Amino acid sequence: MPNSQPLAALLQSAIADELRHISDLLERLAEVLVGDEHFASKYLDQLQAFDLLVQCTHESAAVLDRLSAGDCAHDAVAPVRLGHIQDRLRAALAQAA
């Protein structure tokens, strides 16, 4: 079923693009920080958080893409690969039921 609000679909798509832009910025920042051997060795665990942030923004952007394409909310959430994100999104949907 197509999105009943065309402007909402356009906005969802635009927000997905913004999330991908944020993800790109995070990846570039992480590359700079990892390039500093002293910093990278001292903060290795914290630097791994950048990877998680990138994955989260990609998953969130993909959900918005599916919504803007007309998928229902449950179908948009189902392909999310990160379990903790899928769990939080499903919990949010369950509140509406």
Side-chain angles (χ1 to χ4, degrees):
M1 164 185 278
N3 196 324
S4 61
Q5 297 180 345
L7 288 178
L10 291 172
L11 184 58
Q12 290 163 342
S13 181
I15 293 170
D17 289 341
E18 289 299 317
L19 287 171
R20 280 187 281 277
H21 177 70
I22 291 167
S23 177
D24 291 342
L25 293 173
L26 287 169
E27 284 183 308
R28 282 191 249 148
L29 177 58
E31 288 173 10
V32 169
L33 296 175
V34 169
D36 181 331
E37 186 177 320
H38 173 71
F39 187 89
S41 65
K42 187 173 181 180
Y43 297 104
L44 181 61
D45 291 338
Q46 290 82 1
L47 287 171
Q48 290 176 344
F50 279 100
D51 184 53
L52 181 59
L53 289 169
V54 168
Q55 290 179 50
C56 289
T57 56
H58 279 285
E59 291 287 359
S60 297
V63 169
L64 286 168
D65 284 336
R66 289 188 289 274
L67 288 171
S68 71
D71 287 5
C72 77
H74 293 283
D75 290 345
V77 171
V80 172
R81 294 171 296 204
L82 295 174
H84 62 280
I85 293 176
Q86 191 178 88
D87 291 345
R88 287 194 300 263
L89 294 175
R90 286 183 182 198
L93 292 174
Q95 290 179 0

